[in-house]
Amino acid sequence: MAGWERKQTDVEKGIVIPDDWPGYPLDLFTFPEHYSEDLDCVYIPHGVIMDRIERLARNIMDDLGDHDIVVLCVLKGGYQFCADLVDCIKVLCCNSNKTLPMRVDFIRLKSYLNDQSTEDLHIEGAENLSALSGKNVLIVEAIVDTGKTMKALLDHVEAFKPKMIKVAGLLVKRVASKTGYLPDYVGFEISNRFVVGYALDYNEYFRDLNHICVISDSGKQKYKI
């Protein structure tokens, strides 16, 4: 796509979307009418998301094929990415000489208030992670910004002594306060803008958008708590 960069020498960053990327005008796409005044632009169209996820699935198959894995989906924002990633892996398993038996489990993290990440991290479902002991774990998260939340989750999961942990992140933000943490599989590296859609929310709204969009200031005020 015009204006986007795929760094062949630094592929772990995924597709790098520059800070000056304006996104696409809303009138080029379809989306729920009730959000017509609440969005600035379509940042990443749904079709591009799906193409990138297919590539991530191939990379995961290349690395982890013929191993049993537990896919740990981080809710709520990661449910759509996880479902589509698992579907892509299942298709590859049917058309490849490799196989990747998967179990899927879920954990919920909550650290945002409105559009700000807070230090108050809530982990729900943590009591069920004893089943990860000795297993190969693939954590699937929709977005990583500072990396603090993911590092806290990794510390928590490591306490259950899994055999291996890998992380797939659809979006990684470029933020000044970043810890330096980067997932093993990255879909897109994006600027520090608050994005919604594709199950990413703002106070539980916008999960029903297919595209990843930038929320407008009026949208933030409308759904602020």
Side-chain angles (χ1 to χ4, degrees), residues 22-175:
Y24 290 101
L26 296 171
D27 58 8
L28 297 178
F29 298 88
T30 57
F31 56 90
E33 181 62 27
H34 49 267
Y35 293 140
S36 60
E37 302 298 323
D38 306 326
L39 304 169
D40 277 341
C41 66
V42 172
Y43 197 64
I44 310 176
H46 183 257
V48 177
I49 298 169
M50 295 304 297
D51 283 352
R52 182 63 186 145
I53 290 174
E54 182 179 350
R55 179 69 260 180
L56 292 181
R58 290 180 181 275
N59 293 345
I60 291 167
M61 279 288 290
D62 288 343
D63 292 345
L64 305 180
D66 297 328
H67 291 80
D68 289 9
I69 66 169
V70 178
V71 177
L72 185 61
C73 175
V74 180
L75 298 173
K76 294 181 182 178
Y79 79 81
Q80 191 64 62
F81 174 40
C82 184
D84 289 335
L85 182 63
V86 167
D87 280 347
C88 285
I89 292 173
K90 288 192 296 185
V91 170
L92 291 173
C93 286
C94 293
N95 298 280
S96 170
N97 59 358
K98 286 187 174 183
T99 186
L100 190 60
M102 293 178 290
R103 286 177 44 202
V104 181
D105 209 338
F106 303 89
I107 191 168
R108 184 179 176 187
L109 304 184
K110 185 174 176 60
S111 62
Y112 267 84
L113 178 64
N114 295 317
D115 61 346
Q116 298 297 316
S117 180
T118 70
E119 297 293 328
D120 190 14
L121 175 65
H122 297 278
I123 302 177
E124 298 179 12
E127 65 279 1
N128 300 320
L129 296 185
S130 58
L132 302 181
S133 177
K135 301 294 194 305
N136 299 309
V137 179
L138 176 67
I139 298 174
V140 178
E141 170 67 292
I143 188 164
V144 176
D145 44 32
T146 65
K148 293 178 182 178
T149 298
M150 180 53 66
K151 290 191 79 171
L153 175 59
L154 284 170
D155 289 344
H156 189 80
V157 171
E158 285 171 355
F160 293 92
K161 296 182 170 50
K163 182 178 179 181
M164 176 186 68
I165 304 175
K166 296 284 187 179
V167 178
L170 180 63
L171 304 176
V172 172
K173 281 188 180 182
R174 292 187 295 275
V175 294

Side-chain angles (χ1 to χ4, degrees), residues 191-204:
S191 60
N192 189 19
R193 304 178 75 179
F194 197 88
V195 292
V196 294
Y198 195 69
L200 294 169
D201 77 304
Y202 177 80
N203 294 330
E204 297 302 327

